[in-house]
Amino acid sequence: MIVLPVILALSIPFVSAQANSTAVQIEAIEAHFTQAALVPELLATFDPSSILTINFDGVGDLSPGQALTQDQVAPTPTIQITAANSSVDLTGNFTLAMVDADIVGADESNITRHWLENSVVISNGEVSNSSATAITSYAGPAPASGSGPHRYVVILYQQPSSFSPPSEFSQPNLGVSKFDLNGYVKDSQLGPIVAANYFTVEVGTSTTSVSATSAVQSSTLASISAGTETSGSAAASSTSSASNAAMIAKTWSATSIFGMAAVVLALA
């Protein structure tokens, strides 16, 4: 048996709007996707314009990379979308997908599709599929026992008027199967990623070696760094920024992507 190494990732929950939380969350999710080897292995680039929040009944809003049990992720989650700023247009149609990106270091060229709905809309900040085409309705994660912590990635794409899905994905009620995500995005002429998030599920004791990842460093987030800068001409503003930074430090916690662990984080 190969012992699964302990791999830590920073889980950054929502923070106060007074601390420019949306900008912080955008930067944080970008950092998480890079740290978790989802970029560039699964997604060549990742430049979200909005925040995607996954909420499972009985669990609540998830933090990026949060570890959950198979039972916790059995029901269809609620997906909420928060625009980064007022210039982001969340009208029109979108495509919602969830894929199993397997463990860190896995081949991402042929992953498993667990959810694919075309022509969803955003109503009152929530993804609605009332008039969507469910190519694959939500199917809860079921990783093989001992296969390690699988990363389940939920992605919202812009769906332009030129959208035309391949014939094999034009009819509803397809089951869970292997899937070329990037090939589908290209062939169907989907637009850019609007927002994305992910969680992990592991069943049994891992007998698989997982590639190491590095933790998200808060001091590298530009929004945090900018918020902690001070100058003699902006003393009042810098005092407020320092207070906000301290508040963020107190609300952030580190959790393991692949097994719970906690650390204490101090902003640089």
Side-chain angles (χ1 to χ4, degrees):
M1 177 184 297
I2 303 174
V3 179
L4 176 68
V6 176
I7 305 173
L8 297 180
L10 182 63
S11 178
I12 305 178
F14 291 146
V15 294
S16 170
Q18 294 177 349
N20 194 20
S21 64
T22 304
V24 171
Q25 290 172 62
I26 289 286
E27 287 193 64
I29 194 63
E30 291 174 339
H32 272 289
F33 268 55
T34 299
Q35 185 278 143
L38 293 169
V39 176
E41 284 78 356
L42 175 65
L43 306 173
T45 61
F46 182 48
D47 185 24
S49 61
S50 302
I51 300 296
L52 186 152
T53 304
I54 307 168
N55 182 296
F56 283 101
D57 187 32
V59 179
D61 293 348
L62 303 188
S63 299
Q66 185 169 335
L68 300 171
T69 67
Q70 190 173 352
D71 287 343
Q72 288 176 315
V73 298
T76 303
T78 297
I79 305 298
Q80 299 169 333
I81 305 296
T82 305
N85 53 62
S86 59
S87 68
V88 177
D89 183 10
L90 294 179
T91 61
N93 291 335
F94 302 86
T95 287
L96 181 69
M98 186 179 90
V99 296
D100 175 5
D102 211 303
I103 61 174
V104 175
D107 179 6
E108 307 294 357
S109 63
N110 199 22
I111 55 182
T112 303
R113 182 187 66 261
H114 278 258
W115 199 6
L116 181 63
E117 297 198 13
N118 298 325
S119 300
V120 301
V121 297
I122 299 172
S123 177
N124 297 320
E126 186 172 305
V127 172
S128 171
N129 63 356
S130 60
S131 59
T133 301
I135 304 302
T136 299
S137 297
Y138 178 81
S145 181
S147 63
H150 286 226
R151 300 160 298 163
Y152 292 87
V153 189
V154 179
I155 311 171
L156 186 73
Y157 290 92
Q158 287 184 0
Q159 185 182 303
S161 58
S162 59
F163 172 73
S164 179
S167 58
E168 63 269 31
F169 294 107
S170 61
Q171 299 299 317
N173 303 319
L174 292 180
V176 173
S177 64
K178 291 296 184 181
F179 187 53
D180 180 358
L181 173 65
N182 293 314
Y184 177 81
V185 170
K186 179 180 179 181
D187 293 344
S188 61
Q189 301 182 61
L190 279 174
I193 293 174
V194 176
N197 209 331
Y198 78 107
F199 57 90
T200 66
V201 178
E202 181 174 11
V203 175
T205 302
S206 177
T207 58
T208 303
S209 179
V210 179
S211 301
T213 62
S214 58
V216 174
Q217 300 296 322
S218 66
S219 59
T220 65
L221 301 181
S223 296
I224 293 295
S225 299
T228 56
E229 290 179 356
T230 60
S231 68
S233 61
S237 175
S238 20
T239 298
S240 175
S241 297
S243 297
N244 288 333
M247 178 275 297
I248 295 170
K250 291 178 182 178
T251 59
W252 285 12
S253 63
T255 59
S256 171
I257 294 182
F258 312 120
M260 300 300 293
V263 298
V264 177
L265 174 68
L267 291 178

XYZ file of all heavy atoms in Angstrom, residues 6-65:
436
model
N -0.079 13.847 2.919
C -0.974 14.910 3.366
C -0.738 16.127 2.496
O 0.360 16.635 2.394
C -0.716 15.273 4.838
C -1.590 16.442 5.250
C -1.012 14.064 5.716
N -1.784 16.599 1.835
C -1.679 17.736 0.925
C -2.640 18.800 1.396
O -3.830 18.571 1.484
C -2.006 17.310 -0.514
C -1.095 16.142 -0.924
C -1.833 18.466 -1.462
C -1.481 15.575 -2.278
N -2.108 19.960 1.720
C -2.939 21.023 2.268
C -3.304 22.032 1.196
O -2.523 22.331 0.320
C -2.183 21.753 3.391
C -1.827 20.909 4.608
C -1.080 21.780 5.610
C -3.086 20.341 5.257
N -4.505 22.542 1.285
C -4.935 23.659 0.430
C -5.711 24.624 1.278
O -6.460 24.226 2.153
C -5.804 23.163 -0.718
N -5.538 25.903 1.034
C -6.240 26.929 1.802
C -7.671 27.043 1.341
O -7.943 27.225 0.175
C -5.533 28.269 1.620
C -6.125 29.441 2.396
C -6.020 29.186 3.893
C -5.416 30.721 2.005
N -8.587 26.922 2.264
C -10.005 27.082 1.949
C -10.421 28.465 2.383
O -10.379 28.795 3.558
C -10.832 26.025 2.690
O -12.188 26.206 2.428
N -10.827 29.298 1.410
C -11.094 30.695 1.684
C -12.585 30.975 1.579
O -13.130 31.037 0.488
C -10.320 31.591 0.697
C -8.832 31.238 0.757
C -10.536 33.053 1.030
C -8.009 32.030 -0.217
N -13.283 31.102 2.694
C -14.722 31.355 2.645
C -15.022 32.794 2.280
O -14.138 33.632 2.168
C -15.165 31.045 4.080
C -13.958 31.356 4.905
C -12.761 31.010 4.051
N -16.309 33.090 2.112
C -16.699 34.450 1.806
C -16.324 35.383 2.945
O -16.427 35.042 4.112
C -18.208 34.528 1.574
C -18.639 33.849 0.323
C -19.870 33.209 0.258
C -17.819 33.827 -0.787
C -20.271 32.580 -0.905
C -18.220 33.207 -1.948
C -19.442 32.581 -2.008
N -15.900 36.594 2.622
C -15.511 37.577 3.622
C -16.317 38.838 3.412
O -17.025 38.997 2.429
C -13.993 37.888 3.545
C -13.196 36.664 3.917
C -13.610 38.383 2.166
N -16.197 39.770 4.332
C -17.005 40.982 4.311
C -16.791 41.799 3.052
O -15.687 41.937 2.535
C -16.640 41.847 5.519
O -17.225 43.119 5.400
N -17.889 42.365 2.545
C -17.806 43.229 1.362
C -16.942 44.444 1.643
O -16.373 45.034 0.729
C -19.206 43.663 0.934
N -16.814 44.819 2.912
C -15.995 45.979 3.273
C -14.537 45.731 2.939
O -13.753 46.656 2.840
C -16.154 46.279 4.761
C -17.558 46.733 5.141
C -17.685 46.952 6.633
O -16.805 46.576 7.408
N -18.776 47.567 7.040
N -14.141 44.501 2.797
C -12.746 44.174 2.484
C -12.580 43.812 1.014
O -11.678 43.083 0.638
C -12.281 43.019 3.368
N -13.462 44.349 0.167
C -13.388 44.083 -1.268
C -13.421 42.587 -1.518
O -12.611 42.029 -2.255
C -12.109 44.705 -1.855
C -12.146 44.767 -3.378
O -13.211 44.701 -3.985
N -10.991 44.880 -3.982
N -14.390 41.914 -0.890
C -14.412 40.457 -0.864
C -14.529 39.827 -2.234
O -13.948 38.771 -2.478
C -15.545 39.967 0.042
O -16.796 40.349 -0.488
N -15.286 40.433 -3.152
C -15.450 39.814 -4.457
C -14.128 39.727 -5.196
O -13.800 38.692 -5.780
C -16.474 40.593 -5.302
O -17.712 40.675 -4.592
C -16.712 39.901 -6.629
N -13.345 40.795 -5.169
C -12.038 40.782 -5.817
C -11.117 39.754 -5.169
O -10.377 39.032 -5.848
C -11.403 42.172 -5.743
N -11.179 39.656 -3.843
C -10.369 38.677 -3.127
C -10.779 37.268 -3.529
O -9.937 36.395 -3.780
C -10.508 38.863 -1.600
C -9.840 37.711 -0.858
C -9.904 40.190 -1.168
N -12.086 37.021 -3.601
C -12.572 35.686 -3.949
C -12.206 35.290 -5.373
O -11.882 34.126 -5.636
C -14.080 35.639 -3.758
C -14.521 35.682 -2.308
C -16.025 35.837 -2.193
O -16.768 34.978 -2.650
N -16.474 36.933 -1.611
N -12.252 36.248 -6.303
C -11.852 35.959 -7.679
C -10.392 35.526 -7.707
O -10.028 34.512 -8.318
C -12.059 37.194 -8.588
C -13.561 37.459 -8.812
C -11.332 37.007 -9.921
C -14.241 36.494 -9.744
N -9.530 36.298 -7.046
C -8.115 35.939 -7.015
C -7.885 34.626 -6.303
O -7.047 33.813 -6.702
C -7.309 37.048 -6.338
C -7.145 38.298 -7.169
C -6.093 39.211 -6.574
O -4.919 38.799 -6.527
O -6.450 40.312 -6.143
N -8.629 34.408 -5.229
C -8.451 33.191 -4.445
C -8.836 31.949 -5.236
O -8.121 30.944 -5.213
C -9.272 33.277 -3.161
N -9.965 31.994 -5.963
C -10.375 30.805 -6.714
C -9.409 30.534 -7.860
O -9.127 29.375 -8.204
C -11.835 30.938 -7.208
C -12.365 29.579 -7.673
C -11.978 31.973 -8.305
C -12.438 28.529 -6.598
N -8.869 31.595 -8.460
C -7.844 31.400 -9.490
C -6.632 30.694 -8.895
O -6.083 29.756 -9.504
C -7.431 32.742 -10.084
C -8.493 33.414 -10.936
C -8.098 34.805 -11.387
O -7.213 35.414 -10.741
O -8.682 35.298 -12.364
N -6.218 31.133 -7.704
C -5.069 30.516 -7.044
C -5.358 29.070 -6.679
O -4.498 28.190 -6.811
C -4.697 31.321 -5.796
N -6.574 28.804 -6.209
C -6.957 27.440 -5.854
C -6.894 26.504 -7.059
O -6.416 25.369 -6.949
C -8.370 27.419 -5.274
C -8.427 27.646 -3.801
N -7.995 26.720 -2.891
C -8.859 28.700 -3.074
C -8.178 27.184 -1.663
N -8.686 28.397 -1.756
N -7.388 26.963 -8.205
C -7.399 26.110 -9.387
C -5.984 25.799 -9.854
O -5.713 24.692 -10.335
C -8.218 26.767 -10.506
C -9.666 26.355 -10.496
C -10.436 26.512 -9.354
C -10.254 25.804 -11.619
C -11.765 26.133 -9.320
C -11.590 25.413 -11.604
C -12.355 25.571 -10.449
N -5.086 26.765 -9.713
C -3.691 26.519 -10.069
C -3.048 25.573 -9.061
O -2.367 24.611 -9.432
C -2.911 27.837 -10.131
O -3.491 28.681 -11.127
C -1.445 27.589 -10.476
N -3.282 25.833 -7.788
C -2.702 25.020 -6.721
C -3.177 23.574 -6.793
O -2.408 22.637 -6.534
C -3.080 25.637 -5.372
C -2.461 24.976 -4.150
C -3.228 23.729 -3.725
O -2.615 22.764 -3.303
N -4.531 23.719 -3.832
N -4.445 23.373 -7.157
C -5.012 22.027 -7.220
C -4.740 21.343 -8.558
O -5.290 20.279 -8.833
C -6.518 22.088 -6.973
N -3.878 21.942 -9.376
C -3.480 21.375 -10.669
C -4.659 21.212 -11.626
O -4.657 20.340 -12.491
C -2.763 20.037 -10.469
N -5.659 22.074 -11.482
C -6.767 22.105 -12.442
C -6.429 23.027 -13.605
O -6.980 22.891 -14.698
C -8.050 22.565 -11.755
C -8.596 21.585 -10.700
C -9.705 22.242 -9.888
C -9.094 20.310 -11.365
N -5.533 23.976 -13.349
C -4.988 24.867 -14.376
C -3.469 24.670 -14.370
O -2.841 24.779 -13.311
C -5.322 26.349 -14.079
C -4.657 27.264 -15.103
C -6.836 26.565 -14.065
N -2.860 24.336 -15.508
C -3.469 24.221 -16.847
C -3.852 22.791 -17.235
O -4.173 22.549 -18.392
C -2.347 24.729 -17.741
C -1.100 24.205 -17.054
C -1.393 24.302 -15.566
N -3.799 21.841 -16.298
C -4.018 20.447 -16.666
C -5.428 20.194 -17.224
O -5.591 19.523 -18.243
C -3.757 19.535 -15.465
C -2.288 19.330 -15.144
C -1.664 20.501 -14.410
O -2.359 21.530 -14.202
O -0.483 20.403 -14.030
N -6.464 20.705 -16.547
C -7.832 20.542 -17.032
C -8.258 21.723 -17.885
O -8.816 21.555 -18.975
C -8.794 20.380 -15.854
C -10.285 20.319 -16.207
C -10.588 19.064 -17.031
C -11.140 20.360 -14.939
N -8.028 22.932 -17.384
C -8.384 24.162 -18.077
C -7.107 24.893 -18.465
O -6.282 25.189 -17.597
C -9.240 25.049 -17.170
C -10.496 24.397 -16.574
C -11.150 25.354 -15.563
C -11.476 23.993 -17.659
N -6.949 25.176 -19.737
C -5.724 25.840 -20.202
C -5.564 27.195 -19.542
O -4.464 27.593 -19.154
C -5.746 25.974 -21.714
N -6.666 27.919 -19.403
C -6.678 29.218 -18.741
C -7.912 29.308 -17.860
O -8.890 28.590 -18.075
C -6.690 30.376 -19.758
O -7.869 30.289 -20.573
C -5.445 30.333 -20.638
N -7.866 30.213 -16.904
C -9.004 30.389 -16.001
C -9.034 31.834 -15.537
O -8.228 32.258 -14.727
C -8.871 29.438 -14.810
C -10.018 29.513 -13.831
C -11.331 29.479 -14.269
C -9.770 29.620 -12.471
C -12.393 29.541 -13.375
C -10.820 29.681 -11.556
C -12.132 29.640 -12.008
N -9.963 32.588 -16.111
C -10.086 34.010 -15.801
C -11.559 34.328 -15.545
O -12.224 34.958 -16.373
C -9.536 34.841 -16.966
C -9.531 36.332 -16.662
O -9.512 36.696 -15.464
O -9.563 37.129 -17.615
N -12.092 33.892 -14.408
C -13.532 34.046 -14.151
C -13.946 35.499 -13.979
O -13.180 36.324 -13.472
C -13.744 33.250 -12.865
C -12.424 33.332 -12.166
C -11.391 33.290 -13.262
N -15.184 35.781 -14.368
C -15.735 37.125 -14.183
C -16.741 37.154 -13.037
O -17.279 38.218 -12.721
C -16.422 37.593 -15.472
O -17.492 36.722 -15.818
N -16.987 35.991 -12.444
C -17.977 35.887 -11.374
C -17.554 34.820 -10.380
O -16.637 34.023 -10.634
C -19.361 35.544 -11.945
O -19.783 36.509 -12.881
N -18.246 34.795 -9.246
C -18.030 33.790 -8.216
C -19.126 32.733 -8.321
O -20.311 33.070 -8.419
C -18.070 34.415 -6.798
C -16.984 35.475 -6.655
C -17.922 33.338 -5.729
C -15.580 34.954 -6.755
N -18.745 31.463 -8.317
C -19.700 30.366 -8.336
C -19.714 29.710 -6.961
O -18.680 29.242 -6.485
C -19.342 29.353 -9.422
C -20.312 28.199 -9.691
C -20.209 27.731 -11.152
C -20.074 27.019 -8.749
N -20.879 29.691 -6.341
C -21.026 29.103 -5.010
C -21.854 27.829 -5.100
O -22.965 27.840 -5.632
C -21.704 30.082 -4.042
O -20.955 31.299 -4.007
C -21.778 29.493 -2.635
N -21.306 26.731 -4.606
C -21.989 25.440 -4.584
C -22.602 25.252 -3.207
O -21.921 25.422 -2.187
C -21.007 24.289 -4.879
C -20.248 24.549 -6.183
C -21.734 22.950 -4.921
C -19.063 23.613 -6.395
N -23.869 24.887 -3.171
C -24.548 24.688 -1.888
C -25.295 23.365 -1.898
O -26.196 23.153 -2.717
C -25.514 25.838 -1.615
C -26.212 25.719 -0.272
O -26.966 24.793 -0.022
N -25.969 26.687 0.601
N -24.883 22.454 -1.001
C -25.575 21.178 -0.840
C -26.477 21.254 0.382
O -26.083 21.772 1.425
C -24.585 20.028 -0.662
C -23.927 19.577 -1.936
C -22.632 19.979 -2.240
C -24.591 18.747 -2.827
C -22.016 19.565 -3.404
C -23.989 18.334 -3.998
C -22.699 18.738 -4.294
N -27.674 20.722 0.235
C -28.619 20.686 1.344
C -27.994 19.942 2.526
O -27.461 18.850 2.376
C -29.901 19.985 0.900
C -31.002 20.058 1.947
O -31.050 21.064 2.672
O -31.805 19.105 2.033
N -28.039 20.573 3.688
C -27.465 19.975 4.877
C -25.999 20.279 5.080
O -25.436 19.966 6.136
N -25.361 20.869 4.076
C -23.931 21.221 4.173
C -23.748 22.727 4.149
O -22.990 23.292 4.933
C -23.121 20.578 3.022
C -21.644 20.981 3.120
C -23.275 19.067 3.037
N -24.448 23.400 3.232
C -24.318 24.851 3.089
C -23.364 25.210 1.977
O -22.981 24.383 1.147
N -22.963 26.485 1.935
C -22.039 26.967 0.915
C -20.668 26.323 1.104
O -20.143 26.276 2.222
C -21.897 28.492 1.003
C -23.182 29.216 0.636
O -24.101 28.565 0.101
O -23.266 30.433 0.894
N -20.081 25.865 0.000
C -18.790 25.196 0.064
C -17.642 26.179 -0.122
O -17.751 27.168 -0.842
C -18.693 24.126 -1.030
C -19.760 23.036 -1.064
C -19.366 21.978 -2.092
C -19.967 22.409 0.302
N -16.527 25.879 0.501
C -15.268 26.564 0.235
C -14.558 25.825 -0.894
O -14.784 24.620 -1.088
C -14.380 26.570 1.480
O -15.007 27.251 2.541
N -13.704 26.501 -1.666
C -13.003 25.822 -2.759
C -12.232 24.604 -2.261
O -11.481 24.668 -1.287
C -12.045 26.896 -3.282
C -12.715 28.185 -2.935
C -13.377 27.944 -1.615
N -12.444 23.470 -2.905
C -11.719 22.256 -2.560
C -12.210 21.551 -1.319
O -11.551 20.623 -0.839
